[in-house]
């Protein structure tokens, strides 16, 4: 299978090369040239079984089944729950899908652990090294640090917004002690970190010389890996039962994974509501058809404090009928002016994608955390609370509602205590992170400074 760019000016790439590259050379995002047909998950399949089948559908003959199974088995061996993404009933026809059983207590572990095993396997076979970079609004960095720590073929560079993530989130990315993991604290918000990463990839000479790759949700391997838990949720709740999925959303990678699962036949129908905080760019995009640049504001759910959701480009590409020229024109216009009204060719079909978005205020987020605790005794993270708040507001439906519980409450102890008066404990298996020394470098919001930092610290 070949992968093409949403902007149409890059040569088609293989699955392996598309995943190793991250961003397409023309600045677009890779998507499969055609959508594979994947049989829905069966009730007797393990999570690894389904993951192997999903990855095999995209990789085809590039990686044999034994290699894929080894990658998946190693990736999920460290998860605290054998189901990887178990469902717990929250109410009548309503469930939470717990995605926080990985080593850093966040849904990003599900894909990142797999990506690290994938990179290690492929680069070892090729005898190559790479410099992997990611921008993080909180959880991606910790998941990447845990997954790539000690990797022999990868140097990891994490960009996070200084003092705009929770202290526990920061600890997971700054305490590995691994010589190949480098943390860069940028004096700005997440959007600035993401802009630097995109600018690094736009410098093709630097990309080639540095062997640069990215593991943000722009990486197709992330999307493929996250599509798996939608398939297992469908199998657990009944292959003939439609699901209504509520996805706490920032960069839109998780919601896109659900869309991909549906396009490949893994779901019985598709309806996904992106639950967003006061940074509601996705609500404006999906509801009003307008791309508007704005500074991200701080909220109790910091991993979603994003004003430019990168993965919307893939949805826009599909909605446009895969018109790469139009997508390139729109994103060039957005880069120049920061405000674009989507043409009707995209705006109309967007309504047929199954995707929508609803906004939750900061006040309602905290109130929802307390309400869930009063009802169930559960402490939930603020991102999950944005999701459960949106789920409550939806009309009655025959569909089973599944809210993605994206992180463990203990990653946000200050916010949980403010909302409920209770302080969540870190699970015993990760408590050691508190006692470790942190290591990160604080730098200005300057592309040249970050480029020099990577050049000085990579081992090629």
């Amino acid at each position: 299978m070949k992968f093409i760019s949403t902007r149409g000016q890059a040569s088609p790439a293989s699955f392996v090369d598309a995943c190793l590259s991250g961003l397409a050379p023309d600045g677009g995002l890779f998507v499969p040239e055609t959508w594979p047909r994947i049989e829905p998950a069966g009730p007797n399949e393990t999570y690894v079984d389904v993951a192997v089948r999903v990855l095999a559908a995209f990789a085809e003959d590039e990686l044999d089944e034994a290699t894929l199974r080894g990658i998946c088995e190693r990736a999920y061996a460290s998860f605290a729950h054998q189901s990887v993404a178990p469902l717990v009933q929250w109410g009548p026809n309503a469930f939470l899908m717990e995605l926080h059983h990985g080593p850093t207590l966040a849904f990003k572990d599900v894909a990142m652990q797999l990506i690290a095993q994938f990179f290690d396997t492929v680069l070892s076979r090729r005898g190559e090294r790479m410099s992997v970079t990611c921008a993080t609004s909180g959880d991606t960095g910790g998941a990447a640090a845990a997954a790539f720590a000690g990797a022999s073929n990868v140097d990891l560079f994490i960009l996070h917004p200084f003092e705009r993530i929770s202290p526990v989130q920061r600890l997971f990315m700054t305490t590995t002690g691994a010589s190949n993991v480098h943390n860069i604290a940028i004096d700005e918000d997440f959007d600035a970190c993401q802009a630097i990463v995109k600018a690094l990839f736009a410098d093709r000479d630097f990309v080639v010389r540095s062997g640069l790759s990215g593991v943000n949700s722009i990486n197709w391997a992330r999307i493929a890996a996250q599509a798996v838990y939608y398939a297992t949720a469908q199998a657990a709740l009944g292959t003939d039962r439609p699901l209504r999925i509520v996805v706490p959303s920032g960069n839109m990678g998780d919601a896109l994974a659900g869309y991909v699962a549906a396009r490949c036949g893994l779901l019985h129908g598709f309806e996904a509501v992106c639950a967003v905080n006061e940074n509601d760019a996705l609500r404006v995009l999906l509801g009003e058809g307008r791309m508007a640049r704005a500074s991200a504001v701080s909220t109790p759910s910091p991993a979603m404090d994003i004003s430019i959701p990168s993965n919307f480009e893939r949805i826009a590409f599909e909605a446009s009928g895969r018109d790469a020229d139009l997508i390139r024109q729109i994103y060039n216009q957005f880069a120049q002016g920061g405000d674009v009204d989507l043409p009707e060719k995209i705006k109309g079909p967007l309504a047929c994608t199954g995707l929508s978005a609803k906004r939750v205020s900061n006040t309602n987020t905290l109130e929802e955390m307390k309400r869930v605790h009063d009802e169930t005794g559960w402490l939930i993270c603020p991102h999950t609370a944005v999701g459960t708040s949106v789920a409550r507001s939806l009309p009655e439906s025959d569909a089973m509602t599944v809210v993605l519980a994206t992180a463990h409450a203990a990653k946000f102890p200050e916010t949980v205590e403010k909302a409920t008066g209770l302080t969540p404990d870190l699970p015993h298996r990760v408590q050691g992170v508190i006692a470790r020394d942190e290591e990160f470098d604080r730098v200005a919001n300057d592309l040249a400074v970050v480029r020099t930092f990577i050049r000085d610290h990579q081992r090629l």
Side-chain angles (χ1 to χ4, degrees):
M1 177 177 291
K2 293 296 184 182
F3 285 73
I4 59 174
S5 169
T6 52
R7 302 191 188 181
Q9 295 187 321
S11 298
S14 68
F15 172 76
V16 169
D17 286 339
C19 294
L20 290 179
S21 299
L23 194 69
D26 61 357
L29 306 184
F30 282 116
V31 294
E33 196 167 38
T34 58
W35 293 104
R37 177 70 186 178
I38 310 174
E39 287 299 311
N44 296 321
E45 285 188 296
T46 67
Y47 194 92
V48 167
D49 290 337
V50 181
V52 170
R53 287 203 298 108
V54 171
L55 290 177
F58 293 111
E60 292 188 330
D61 58 357
E62 285 190 81
L63 296 169
D64 59 59
E65 182 178 344
T67 298
L68 289 173
R69 183 166 292 278
I71 288 171
C72 294
E73 287 177 346
R74 292 191 298 274
Y76 300 123
S78 62
F79 279 63
H81 198 293
Q82 64 178 357
S83 296
V84 179
L87 292 164
V88 294
Q89 189 158 11
W90 171 44
N93 288 336
F95 295 81
L96 298 187
M97 181 159 59
E98 294 183 339
L99 297 173
H100 47 67
H101 292 283
T104 70
L105 311 182
F107 83 97
K108 304 294 177 71
D109 289 321
V110 179
M112 203 65 71
Q113 287 289 320
L114 187 143
I115 286 178
Q117 294 298 328
F118 169 82
F119 270 58
D120 190 52
T121 297
V122 172
L123 292 176
S124 294
R125 288 184 176 184
R126 292 185 172 188
E128 297 176 2
R129 290 188 57 80
M130 297 197 82
S131 296
V132 170
T133 184
C134 72
T136 183
S137 55
D139 289 326
T140 298
F148 284 99
S152 57
N153 299 299
V154 170
D155 291 309
L156 176 66
F157 297 90
I158 303 167
L159 280 67
H160 75 266
F162 183 64
E163 293 189 339
R164 295 200 183 202
I165 61 176
S166 84
V168 176
Q169 282 180 310
R170 191 185 67 243
L171 284 169
F172 276 110
M173 70 180 81
T174 60
T175 61
T176 66
S179 61
N180 69 315
V181 176
H182 306 281
N183 293 275
I184 307 171
I186 303 294
D187 282 326
E188 249 301 341
D189 60 17
F190 168 78
D191 288 327
C193 298
Q194 184 165 253
I196 289 176
V197 169
K198 288 185 175 181
L200 290 171
F201 279 101
D203 184 344
R204 298 311 301 172
D205 181 61
F206 181 75
V207 169
V208 173
R209 285 187 292 105
S210 300
L212 197 66
S213 180
V215 291
N216 278 83
S217 60
I218 57 174
N219 192 305
W220 185 258
R222 284 274 301 273
I223 305 302
Q226 289 170 198
V228 177
Y229 48 70
Y230 288 94
T232 59
Q234 180 74 84
L237 295 175
T239 55
D240 59 343
R241 296 291 299 272
L243 305 185
R244 179 169 62 183
I245 304 158
V246 181
V247 189
S249 297
N251 229 4
M252 205 182 178
D254 216 358
L256 177 72
Y259 173 85
V260 168
R263 286 299 301 263
C264 294
L266 291 164
L267 299 181
H268 181 78
F270 180 63
E271 179 187 358
V273 184
C274 298
V276 300
N277 62 22
E278 293 188 2
N279 297 287
D280 62 348
L282 266 179
R283 182 192 61 79
V284 175
L285 277 166
L286 295 172
E288 303 175 18
R290 183 167 60 88
M291 297 173 63
R293 190 185 306 278
S295 297
V297 298
S298 295
T299 73
S301 48
M304 294 155 57
D305 291 349
I306 296 169
S307 67
I308 307 170
S310 292
N311 276 288
F312 179 76
E313 182 168 342
R314 285 177 165 128
I315 292 295
F317 180 68
E318 296 298 325
S320 72
R322 297 197 150 200
D323 187 339
D325 291 337
L326 178 59
I327 298 301
R328 188 170 64 255
Q329 174 188 330
I330 288 170
Y331 276 87
N332 285 342
Q333 183 182 343
F334 181 70
Q336 294 169 9
D339 201 323
V340 177
D341 283 317
L342 298 175
E344 191 58 37
K345 184 176 182 180
I346 293 177
K347 193 182 299 187
L350 270 179
C352 302
T353 60
L355 291 158
S356 62
K358 297 196 71 171
R359 176 183 184 272
V360 176
S361 70
N362 291 347
T363 298
N364 287 345
T365 300
L366 297 176
E367 290 174 348
E368 178 67 13
M369 294 169 72
K370 184 176 189 306
R371 184 175 180 181
V372 169
H373 180 261
D374 290 344
E375 292 174 343
T376 66
W378 300 342
L379 295 177
I380 60 172
C381 88
H383 310 81
T384 304
V386 173
T388 56
S389 180
V390 165
R392 291 184 196 278
S393 70
L394 299 177
E396 290 188 14
S397 170
D398 291 335
M400 305 285 277
T401 298
V402 178
V403 180
L404 272 57
T406 55
H408 195 287
K411 295 197 79 170
F412 307 91
E414 297 85 2
T415 304
V416 173
E417 183 175 12
K418 180 178 180 181
T420 67
L422 300 170
T423 302
D425 293 326
L426 279 170
H428 180 73
R429 61 192 171 89
V430 298
Q431 286 180 0
V433 72
I434 297 174
R436 299 175 197 152
D437 292 332
E438 287 193 81
E439 185 174 348
F440 65 90
D441 292 272
R442 182 179 174 185
V443 305
N445 177 25
D446 188 310
L447 172 62
V449 172
V450 174
R451 186 189 290 115
T452 299
F453 183 96
I454 292 175
R455 188 182 299 121
D456 290 346
H457 290 83
Q458 63 188 175
R459 301 171 297 172
L460 293 177

